[in-house]
Amino acid sequence: MDGFQFSNRNQKIETYGTISKNENDSLVFKLSNFDLKYFNKFFNEYSLGLKGDITGYFSCFNLLNNFYFHSKIKTTGFQIAGVDYGTLNLLSDWDDINKSIGLNVYSERGNVRPIDLSGFYFPEDNMLDITLNVNNANLNIISVFVKDFFSDVKGYLEGQVRIQGKLSNPEMYGYIDLKKSNLFVDYLNTRYNLSGRCNLKGQKLIFDNIKIFDSEGNPAIANGDLQFNNYNKLLYNIVIDAKNFIGIDTKESNNPYFYGKAYATGVAKIYGDLNHVQIDVSAKSNEKTVIYIPVYSGTTIENSNFLTFKTRNVKPVKKVETTSFDAITMNFDLEVTPDAEIQIILDEKVGDIIRSKGNGTILMNIDTKGKFNMYGTYEIFTGDYLFTMRNLINKKFFIEPGSKLTWTGNALDAKADIVAKYNIKTSLYPLMSLVNDTSPDYKRRIPIECKITLTDKILKPNIAFSVDMKEATDKAKE
């Protein structure tokens, strides 16, 4: 084969050489300014955003017997997911004594090599022995693999990893340090900073006391591991221990059924695989927590995808029925304390809202298929209820201690046992004059206690009113 060539403007691929049983004969592929973006179609699932211009050669020897090769390839302007890694170099050569291919792949950005991989591949045994050095490499490279959970991943990686074993099932040993790292958790609407060392042992990435800080500097510690299981199934088991930590900071646009800003102390366990994620949280509320739970009529949960998750913009493939993170289950065991303010929104348009502080244990079960169940009793210590009735009444009633809200399943189907009072000092003269009693005594202002009682389902409560006029005359009370 001599001078076989593909070209497109300044891009060129040339092929020349001989295929025979002679081990000295070779087939050479030469590339000039080949655009790396053409490889993106092989990674559609991850949207790697590969960019760069490839120049160099790839020589194949002894194709009909024990194949080996050597190459020298340079990619300028090398980018992954919008991150510039400078120039990527790939060098390889055949070691006839050890019957191995020596490999050296490294990126150059100025005087720094963010990625430097070197070692040997033994084709007869299909074995690897490679060392990867990472020096100030951009953490954003992982964003394409975790975009269902995280976005705006920032920071740097440093470390050394040795990769050994079968090409199809290697083991890794070494460490990776997180430097100035932070990320945004989409479904919590929170940003966290991370630092610490991750160790690799066999087919596990181990998190050992990784420090996490929320946007206000409150701390948490993460321990656990990611297990690769022959690299065809990812399992993870991570435990986060937090203190006065921002757990969520969501708006109604993130989740119209349950939102707010929550500070909590407790433990979160995250485990599962790429088909199903389970998050179990056991926590106690802290100061500055404000949670909103809309339960006004017309709200529905069934078949609502009320948790918003980003999905990859890719064409559907027949073998894949769902995206990786279609099945997420979250279980919350929450000790609600008087430090937290809970607002039950009955009618957002007119401001019909119960604001309260109290105590209780609330269990919540949430998933991405529309399930949102709550269980438990919340006892109100202090609070108020803005009672509205069309345009006729708009009064703030103060809730009596001991009032309760109870959930036994559907989050919208809470049962109320609430007593609230509205105190006013006024004259009974206008009222008594309607029955032709115009005694001057009624012009005196007296304290009046108006009481409203809500029972049964909070969406359609039974409402009872009563008035207590302790200083009024018996005739006025009648």
Side-chain angles (χ1 to χ4, degrees), residues 310-362:
K310 295 184 177 180
T311 55
R312 303 185 181 108
N313 184 22
V314 298
K315 294 180 179 180
V317 181
K318 290 183 179 179
K319 292 183 179 180
V320 182
E321 295 180 357
T322 61
T323 56
S324 296
F325 296 103
D326 271 351
I328 299 180
T329 301
M330 291 179 284
N331 300 310
F332 295 89
D333 183 349
L334 304 177
E335 181 185 347
V336 183
T337 68
D339 292 322
E341 178 180 322
I342 308 295
Q343 295 194 20
I344 310 296
I345 304 173
L346 302 175
D347 191 331
E348 187 177 34
K349 292 182 179 179
V350 298
D352 202 352
I353 299 172
I354 296 173
R355 293 181 175 88
S356 64
K357 291 188 174 184
N359 214 347
T361 299
I362 303 296

Side-chain angles (χ1 to χ4, degrees), residues 112-227:
V112 179
R113 289 189 176 186
I115 300 172
D116 191 347
L117 183 150
S118 61
F120 298 92
Y121 168 61
F122 302 87
E124 290 185 7
D125 300 320
N126 201 27
M127 300 287 285
L128 289 171
D129 188 358
I130 292 174
T131 299
L132 171 65
N133 289 289
V134 180
N135 181 19
N136 218 31
N138 198 309
L139 180 62
N140 192 55
I141 193 172
I142 74 167
S143 64
V144 295
F145 304 106
V146 298
K147 62 174 61 178
D148 290 283
F149 270 148
F150 311 119
S151 61
D152 197 22
V153 180
K154 299 177 181 178
Y156 300 93
L157 301 173
E158 291 187 1
Q160 185 178 83
V161 180
R162 190 168 183 182
I163 306 167
Q164 297 174 298
K166 289 283 186 180
L167 178 63
S168 59
N169 190 28
E171 294 187 343
M172 298 182 289
Y173 297 89
Y175 68 92
I176 296 290
D177 290 335
L178 299 170
K179 303 289 186 180
K180 299 180 180 178
S181 303
N182 62 84
L183 48 79
F184 189 82
V185 184
D186 296 301
Y187 60 93
L188 300 179
N189 203 41
T190 53
R191 176 171 292 281
Y192 299 122
N193 296 288
L194 304 93
S195 64
R197 172 166 290 186
C198 304
N199 295 298
L200 292 111
K201 294 182 180 180
Q203 293 187 350
K204 282 188 178 181
L205 176 64
I206 300 171
F207 305 105
D208 187 8
N209 289 328
I210 300 297
K211 296 178 181 178
I212 307 174
F213 297 93
D214 64 21
S215 58
E216 297 180 6
N218 301 310
I221 296 293
N223 288 281
D225 60 70
L226 300 180
Q227 187 169 332

Side-chain angles (χ1 to χ4, degrees), residues 233-407:
K233 185 176 183 180
L234 178 65
L235 302 173
Y236 41 91
N237 184 10
I238 301 169
V239 177
I240 299 174
D241 194 343
K243 185 175 182 180
N244 195 29
F245 199 68
I246 299 177
I248 62 169
D249 190 11
T250 51
K251 314 300 180 188
E252 187 177 8
S253 57
N254 300 116
N255 173 9
Y257 305 98
F258 176 84
Y259 59 94
K261 189 171 187 178
Y263 296 78
T265 297
V267 176
K269 185 177 180 181
I270 305 169
Y271 57 98
D273 55 34
L274 291 180
N275 294 317
H276 183 263
V277 180
Q278 180 139 336
I279 303 172
D280 294 340
V281 178
S282 178
K284 179 179 180 180
S285 64
N286 294 128
E287 290 182 359
K288 300 190 292 182
T289 294
V290 181
I291 296 296
Y292 304 87
I293 306 176
V295 294
Y296 39 85
S297 60
T299 305
T300 180
I301 287 180
E302 288 79 7
N303 299 320
S304 295
N305 192 15
F306 61 90
L307 289 178
T308 303
F309 291 84
K310 295 184 177 180
T311 55
R312 303 185 181 108
N313 184 22
V314 298
K315 294 180 179 180
V317 181
K318 290 183 179 179
K319 292 183 179 180
V320 182
E321 295 180 357
T322 61
T323 56
S324 296
F325 296 103
D326 271 351
I328 299 180
T329 301
M330 291 179 284
N331 300 310
F332 295 89
D333 183 349
L334 304 177
E335 181 185 347
V336 183
T337 68
D339 292 322
E341 178 180 322
I342 308 295
Q343 295 194 20
I344 310 296
I345 304 173
L346 302 175
D347 191 331
E348 187 177 34
K349 292 182 179 179
V350 298
D352 202 352
I353 299 172
I354 296 173
R355 293 181 175 88
S356 64
K357 291 188 174 184
N359 214 347
T361 299
I362 303 296
L363 305 179
M364 301 173 65
N365 307 127
I366 306 173
D367 67 25
T368 50
K369 296 178 181 179
K371 178 182 177 182
F372 184 13
N373 289 336
M374 292 178 64
Y375 304 87
T377 298
Y378 173 63
E379 183 176 348
I380 299 172
F381 289 174
T382 181
D384 59 70
Y385 170 41
L386 184 61
F387 176 70
T388 60
M389 183 179 288
R390 297 176 182 170
N391 294 323
L392 301 176
I393 302 175
N394 190 314
K395 296 296 182 181
K396 181 181 287 187
F397 285 72
F398 291 91
I399 300 174
E400 286 195 336
S403 296
K404 296 177 181 179
L405 285 168
T406 302
W407 286 269

Side-chain angles (χ1 to χ4, degrees), residues 103-120:
L103 298 169
N104 189 199
V105 181
Y106 61 93
S107 62
E108 290 180 302
R109 193 176 62 239
N111 296 323
V112 179
R113 289 189 176 186
I115 300 172
D116 191 347
L117 183 150
S118 61
F120 298 92

